[in-house]
Amino acid sequence: MFYYLTLTRSLEQRLVNLYRQGKVIGGLYSSLGQEGESVASAYALQSGDILSPLIRNLGSMLVMGARPVEILRQYMAKQTSPTAGREMNLHFNDFDLGYLGQISPLGDMIPVMAGICLSFKVRGEPRVGLVYIGDGGASTGTFHEGVNFAAVQAVPLVVIVEHNGWAYSTPTAEQTATLRLADKAKAYGIPGITVDGNDVLAVYAATKDAVARAREGGGTSLIEVVTYRRKGHAEHDDQRYQPKDEIAHWADTNDPVDRYVATLLGQGWATDDDMDAARQRVRAELDVAVAECEDDPLPEGAMALSQVYASPPEEERLWFRRLDG
Ligand SMILES: Cc1ncc(C[n+]2csc(CCOP(=O)(O)OP(=O)(O)O)c2C)c(N)n1
Ligand SMILES: [Mg+2]
């Protein structure tokens, strides 16, 4: 998990550098300060399980096997990216590895994942789904419908509610009167717990329990992971509405990576040298990944319509004619 935490943080940092050079197309989203819950929850899954990440779940995608070079290509909208430049950042699938590309309307992946998990149940497959949702997203109508449906059908789904204090510029207290977001589970008749989201091992243990229960036929459950969004909504957001001392407090006293390093050293599970070796491995892998794709071409305009519709012949022909003429 230390390797994946380091990989996530370093890859996001590389992306910030590329963004500042004008090479990232569209927004750049960061999970700084909440990588712990993303990595640890995904780590609790096994082969055959499926998760649905959001913009701040790069760590969970890397754990599932997404390659840094694919993420870099997506963010730079390269022709060589998984979506050939048609979709932004983390919006892409790999069904074999087990992640589903998000659709942007917040909350909508919950009914989608409820349906996927219903199919696991109907087919008698021992597979589990994991879906992430923010504190803001947990106040949408689709969250309610999706969790209610999953709960009543007792599908093998674990809902991770990432309580990071902010939904864009709105603090949690201004968009929900619920103090503990885990309490929402009571309304659906499913188990709900609150976990320290920056305690990597606590998130891992809680998710492992919920995943095991789901796999054994125990149905849906909800885990609120309490964490903090240390950057703005995206790189273009200067987060002036977030109190500076609040950000500094979380950075100085509650960083998930720092805390995990202290645990690894304290328990004697890893030495400084072990961790330096992991950091160097990450640096070398990212050097290779950036060099591999930085100069890849952007897609041709004409490609925008191909592979989008099932049968586009007429539109495609019109489009090419316009380009030609
Ligand atoms: C239904 C809907 N409303 C608004 C948006 C625009 N939007 C995208 S992310 C975001 C904030 C999300 O906050 P939260 O759910 O807390 O997740 P976080 O960004 O904190 O990870 C908003 C308002 C959207 N994508 N979908
Ligand atoms: Mg939030």
Side-chain angles (χ1 to χ4, degrees), residues 1 4 8 38-40 42-44 51 58-66:
M1 285 201 282
Y4 284 108
T8 307
S38 221
V39 165
Y43 224 82
L51 65 74
L58 172 62
S60 62
M61 291 176 72
L62 293 171
V63 168
M64 298 303 276

Side-chain angles (χ1 to χ4, degrees), residues 185-264:
K186 290 186 191 139
Y188 308 108
I190 57 170
I193 55 162
T194 299
V195 178
D196 176 346
N198 289 0
D199 179 340
V200 170
L201 294 180
V203 174
Y204 176 70
T207 316
K208 197 121 179 115
D209 280 354
V211 166
R213 188 172 47 239
R215 205 181 306 282
E216 285 154 16
T220 302
S221 62
L222 184 153
I223 302 171
E224 173 192 17
V225 291
V226 179
T227 183
Y228 189 76
R229 196 195 74 195
R230 279 184 14 217
K231 293 199 83 169
H233 176 65
E235 205 54 33
H236 59 258
D237 170 16
D238 67 8
Q239 66 187 136
R240 74 183 67 173
Y241 49 83
Q242 258 173 292
K244 287 202 169 45
D245 54 346
E246 187 180 272
I247 303 170
H249 175 75
W250 282 82
D252 296 343
T253 67
N254 202 346
D255 179 75
V257 183
D258 290 350
R259 285 179 63 188
Y260 193 48
V261 167
T263 305
L264 291 174

